[in-house]
Amino acid sequence: MIAVNQTRVTKQIHLGNVPIGGGAPVVVQSMTNTDTRDWQATVAQIIRLQEVGCEMVRVAVLDQQAVQQLSRIKQAIDIPLIADIHFDHRLALGALAAGVDGLRLNPGNIGGGQSVAKVVKSALERQVPIRIGVNSGSVEKELLSRYGRPSPEAMVESALRHIRMLEDEGFDLIKVSLKSSDVLDTIRAYQLLADRVDYPLHLGVTEAGTLVDGAIKSSLGIGVLLYQGIGDTIRVSLTRPPEDEIPVAYSILRALKLRRRGVELISCPTCGRTELDLIPLVEKAERLLRKVRSPLKVAIMGCVVNGPGEAREADVGIAGGRGKGILFKKGVRTQTVAEEELLQRLLMEVQEITGEVIID
Ligand code: SF4
């Protein structure tokens, strides 16, 4: 079997109780799009994210009112909470005091010397890591004029500057991201940085776009890097509710055999042989199976030509016939079910195998 290249060896850091880098599994992360000052809406969204497998979450902290809500949010959720801070180091100090598990800030843009020293001191006392996040849109003017554009080299130089600012204060609980909306620039930037530092890397293609475009760009950018053994946490960015990012992230990780969480859904593209109304069936099954945590392979196929083969290989499979489907379980044909009962039967089988309750 072809496998992902040897994972790059990095320092290990911890966000809350989640290990990152140093051989730990790749972690799936997202960011809320609620107003953090509205703690109830933010918590509700984080819980929805948790339910589909998000393992760390970032919230934007724009002002002191948002800082005030962080401990409340932290207490109501089960996954590590990261505060995203720009410009004002007092927000970072407040977030640390509120008990966040991680900060995302660039030391170069929170006011320089003394401000950085204060934040680092507080983060070190609490052993809270900081992610430096360089975006192609945030590269310093001087680097832009030197490199002509936010090239991978310019992004890496920018990241190294921020890293040095933290290291100069004796801080090494660092994670770094280098996101560009250009897939090839993103890949190149991470490759260059991976040769220069041994900090864990957070992967993402920024402003990736809508569901189809964003999923493709993210899969390519993140996928190529993970395949090369680079990357310790990932975020798929979509112009969608963040809950929709998580299944894409797991799909990438499953395809590379890096994580096995959740249902791998195999379904055929349909053709002139399809004998039942397959597309709505598959779409509904996908939606309902999203919350399943156990690793499972489910196949839904449209006919008896190629269907039984795939269905037999899955943990639960359907091979469609005219107005009905043949059900397979763990490679064994179990029964023929009427089309209108297929989904229900499929869900029952999944529940039986996983022991997880599926709620519509
Ligand atoms: S499984 Fe059958 S229905 Fe589906 S695409 Fe293949 S031949 Fe067509």
Side-chain angles (χ1 to χ4, degrees), residues 35 54 116 126 148 171 202 226 246-247 270 321 339:
D35 183 337
C54 181
V116 176
R126 296 171 163 86
F171 191 84
H202 170 70
L226 288 176
I246 307 300
T270 71
E339 182 172 354

Side-chain angles (χ1 to χ4, degrees), residues 139-284:
V139 172
E140 296 88 334
K141 282 201 186 94
E142 174 245 323
L143 290 174
L144 282 181
S145 60
R146 179 136 53 90
Y147 287 97
R149 70 181 191 94
S151 63
E153 291 76 10
M155 288 169 65
V156 168
E157 191 163 335
S158 175
L160 290 172
R161 285 183 183 182
H162 291 297
I163 291 169
R164 239 170 268 130
M165 289 178 79
L166 294 183
E167 287 176 340
D168 286 348
E169 298 292 336
F171 191 84
D172 70 350
L173 304 174
I174 297 172
K175 184 166 70 146
V176 190
S177 64
L178 294 168
K179 299 182 182 177
S180 165
S181 55
D182 183 291
V183 173
L184 296 180
D185 278 355
T186 302
I187 293 171
R188 187 72 195 127
Y190 279 104
Q191 287 170 330
L192 290 172
L193 189 67
D195 282 342
R196 303 284 299 271
V197 299
D198 62 358
Y199 293 119
L201 299 179
H202 170 70
L203 303 184
V205 177
T206 196
E207 291 114 32
T210 55
L211 183 58
V212 173
D213 241 25
I216 291 170
K217 283 170 136 186
S218 294
S219 306
L220 281 168
I222 294 171
V224 165
L225 287 161
L226 288 176
Y227 183 73
Q228 294 173 343
I230 297 171
D232 304 284
T233 63
I234 67 170
R235 183 198 176 186
V236 171
S237 302
L238 299 176
T239 313
R240 302 270 304 178
E243 298 91 304
D244 290 349
E245 298 174 357
I246 307 300
V248 181
Y250 279 104
S251 212
I252 295 170
L253 294 174
R254 264 196 307 269
L256 292 168
K257 303 211 172 356
L258 288 168
R259 297 283 302 270
R260 296 183 61 232
R261 184 192 194 282
V263 172
E264 179 183 5
L265 186 57
I266 313 275
S267 57
C268 78
T270 71
C271 74
R273 285 199 182 87
T274 314
E275 294 191 298
L276 70 173
D277 199 7
L278 197 81
I279 295 173
L281 175 66
V282 171
E283 284 178 351
K284 189 145 191 220

Side-chain angles (χ1 to χ4, degrees), residues 35-53:
D35 183 337
T36 308
R37 291 169 297 194
D38 182 348
W39 73 274
Q40 281 160 313
T42 303
V43 165
Q45 187 168 67
I46 295 174
I47 288 172
R48 289 197 297 278
L49 281 163
Q50 285 177 183
E51 283 173 352
V52 289

